[in-house]
């Protein structure tokens, strides 16, 4: 039975990657997490984890080379979905060193372990390196971003993902590791962290509905225009790319944009979310200066032509449904007594 390693297992993408693989494959899943991480996104899997029903946890850290060494020498996964990162652009301005350390050096630690095992034991997994559309930074208005668009770091996070992106290609070109790199555009849906725009808006609406917040939504920059897609659509693309890579149909080190095909100005996203609430008409929106970034990637439109030439894929979940599912996620969290921070 083939094994798949998921780094960043407890995050939105990692936990939903596990859900997808459990439902659509017979892989054994190895889930990498730090021992102190939140369990919020994976409580629904704990019974299977306890029973070792196709999924088990390995406690480690991207910044602890020895823990990764033990993981790879012991388990040798056939697929590696490298999703772990310090993934919050706004936060990266406050913790730039940790962001760079985790995303660049952490990725190098992972790829170095694979390189050494490849040389000594002919170990040859398929490795998905998750970059980000943030590598393109401040794009020119009216330009559709394709995989040849020059990088332009607009935050410590985007700079860290530029490093991650280059590492994925380098280890393919220099050592023949079967990597592919994805640059996912704005993605959301259930389990999206509340530090991201559409999720903090949905969370605040749910808090207001439940009486935990005054009827005012606090937001940052609203001048951004971008595409949105459901995370579950992106995960399907990750899986399909991994299969084509295993078959040798994707050149090693190839990079792919994966983005939604519905574009919105950010005020439109707020309007849609408010439509789903009976209190929508009585809720105000205010700019909170504390939520503004020093520099912002305020225009991101993508060209999905390349990925569609390699796999049969396109986004299937409409953005309105994605946003409704996100709002219901926060409503359900509050009903369970998990009151999120007002941030």
């Amino acid at each position: 039975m083939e094994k798949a390693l998921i780094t960043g297992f407890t995050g939105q993408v990692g936990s939903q990657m596990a859900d997808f693989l459990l439902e659509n494959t017979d892989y054994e899943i190895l889930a990498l997490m730090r021992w102190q991480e939140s369990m919020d996104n994976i409580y629904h899997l704990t019974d299977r984890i306890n029973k070792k029903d196709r999924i088990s946890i390995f406690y480690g850290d991207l910044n602890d080379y020895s823990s990764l060494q033990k993981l790879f020498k012991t388990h040798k996964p056939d697929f590696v979905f490298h999703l772990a990162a310090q993934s919050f652009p706004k936060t990266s301005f406050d913790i730039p060193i940790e962001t760079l350390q985790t995303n660049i050096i952490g990725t190098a630690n992972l790829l170095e372990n694979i390189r050494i095992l490849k040389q000594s034991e002919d170990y040859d997994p398929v490795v998905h390196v998750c970059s980000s559309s943030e590598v393109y930074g401040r794009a020119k208005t009216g330009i559709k971003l394709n995989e040849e668009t020059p990088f332009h770091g607009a935050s410590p996070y985007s700079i860290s993902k530029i490093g991650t992106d280059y590492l994925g290609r380098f280890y393919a070109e220099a050592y023949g590791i079967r990597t592919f790199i994805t640059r996912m555009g704005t993605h959301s849906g259930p389990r999206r962290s509340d530090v991201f725009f559409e999720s903090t808006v949905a969370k605040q609406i749910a808090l207001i509905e439940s009486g935990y917040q005054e009827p005012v939504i606090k937001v940052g920059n609203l001048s951004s225009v971008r595409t949105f897609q459901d995370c579950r659509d992106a995960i399907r693309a990750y899986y399909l790319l991994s299969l084509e890579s295993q078959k040798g149909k994707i050149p090693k080190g190839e990079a792919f944009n994966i983005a939604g095909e519905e574009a919105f100005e950010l005020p439109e996203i707020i309007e849609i979310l408010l439509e789903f609430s009976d209190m929508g008409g009585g809720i105000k929106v205010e700019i909170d200066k504390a939520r503004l970034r020093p520099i912002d990637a305020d225009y991101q439109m993508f060209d999905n032509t390349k990925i569609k030439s390699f796999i049969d894929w396109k986004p299937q979940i409409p953005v309105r449904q994605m946003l409704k599912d996100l709002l219901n996620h926060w409503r359900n969290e509050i009903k369970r007594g998990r009151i999120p921070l007002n941030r």
Side-chain angles (χ1 to χ4, degrees), residues 119-130:
Q119 291 180 339
S120 63
E121 301 184 27
D122 199 29
Y123 173 54
D124 191 24
V126 169
V127 184
H128 167 210
V129 176
C130 189

Side-chain angles (χ1 to χ4, degrees), residues 115-183:
R115 177 188 71 81
I116 291 169
L117 279 177
K118 180 177 174 64
Q119 291 180 339
S120 63
E121 301 184 27
D122 199 29
Y123 173 54
D124 191 24
V126 169
V127 184
H128 167 210
V129 176
C130 189
S131 180
S132 169
S133 65
E134 289 276 335
V135 298
Y136 300 117
R138 303 194 75 177
K140 292 181 180 179
T141 301
I143 300 297
K144 273 200 169 185
L145 304 171
N146 62 37
E147 289 78 2
E148 303 305 315
T149 301
F151 292 164
H152 182 166
S155 67
Y157 170 73
S158 67
I159 292 167
S160 76
K161 281 300 187 177
I162 290 171
T164 299
D165 202 293
Y166 279 136
L167 282 168
R169 187 171 71 180
F170 167 74
Y171 274 84
E173 293 177 346
Y175 306 116
I177 294 175
R178 291 189 289 173
T179 65
F180 66 90
I181 299 105
T182 59
R183 302 167 187 161

Side-chain angles (χ1 to χ4, degrees), residues 59-258:
Y59 293 107
D61 193 313
L62 291 179
N63 289 318
D64 180 0
Y65 185 89
S66 63
S67 68
L68 297 179
Q69 186 178 48
K70 181 180 179 182
L71 186 159
F72 280 102
K73 285 185 70 70
T74 303
H75 296 283
K76 295 185 179 65
D78 303 281
F79 297 93
V80 177
F81 294 96
H82 177 37
L83 309 176
Q86 193 303 93
S87 59
F88 309 148
K90 174 66 168 62
T91 301
S92 74
F93 289 99
D94 299 322
I95 53 169
I97 306 305
E98 179 182 342
T99 301
L100 297 168
Q101 174 74 33
T102 299
N103 296 359
I104 299 177
I105 302 304
T107 298
N109 284 338
L110 183 141
L111 292 170
E112 267 295 286
N113 270 286
I114 294 171
R115 177 188 71 81
I116 291 169
L117 279 177
K118 180 177 174 64
Q119 291 180 339
S120 63
E121 301 184 27
D122 199 29
Y123 173 54
D124 191 24
V126 169
V127 184
H128 167 210
V129 176
C130 189
S131 180
S132 169
S133 65
E134 289 276 335
V135 298
Y136 300 117
R138 303 194 75 177
K140 292 181 180 179
T141 301
I143 300 297
K144 273 200 169 185
L145 304 171
N146 62 37
E147 289 78 2
E148 303 305 315
T149 301
F151 292 164
H152 182 166
S155 67
Y157 170 73
S158 67
I159 292 167
S160 76
K161 281 300 187 177
I162 290 171
T164 299
D165 202 293
Y166 279 136
L167 282 168
R169 187 171 71 180
F170 167 74
Y171 274 84
E173 293 177 346
Y175 306 116
I177 294 175
R178 291 189 289 173
T179 65
F180 66 90
I181 299 105
T182 59
R183 302 167 187 161
M184 180 157 61
T186 301
H187 58 284
S188 196
R191 306 179 205 166
R192 177 72 153 167
S193 171
D194 66 339
V195 300
F196 294 104
F197 168 76
E198 74 293 339
S199 191
T200 194
V201 171
K203 178 199 70 175
Q204 289 183 71
I205 292 172
L207 286 169
I208 291 166
E209 290 175 338
S210 300
Y212 291 107
Q213 181 174 323
E214 294 298 314
V216 178
I217 297 172
K218 300 292 183 69
V219 296
N221 174 33
L222 291 179
S223 65
S224 179
V225 179
R226 59 187 58 215
T227 62
F228 284 81
Q229 69 173 321
D230 195 289
C231 176
R232 293 164 287 190
D233 278 329
I235 285 167
R236 184 166 43 86
Y238 291 171
Y239 170 66
L240 293 173
L241 287 169
S242 73
L243 293 183
E244 294 304 291
S245 182
Q246 186 184 48
K247 296 173 186 175
K249 295 183 178 181
I250 293 178
K252 297 172 183 177
E254 202 73 16
F256 298 91
N257 288 342
I258 305 178

Side-chain angles (χ1 to χ4, degrees), residues 10 32-39 57-61:
T10 60
L32 179 66
M33 64 178 289
R34 293 170 293 182
W35 69 268
Q36 76 274 31
E37 284 188 85
S38 168
M39 298 281 289
I57 288 175
F58 185 95
Y59 293 107
D61 193 313

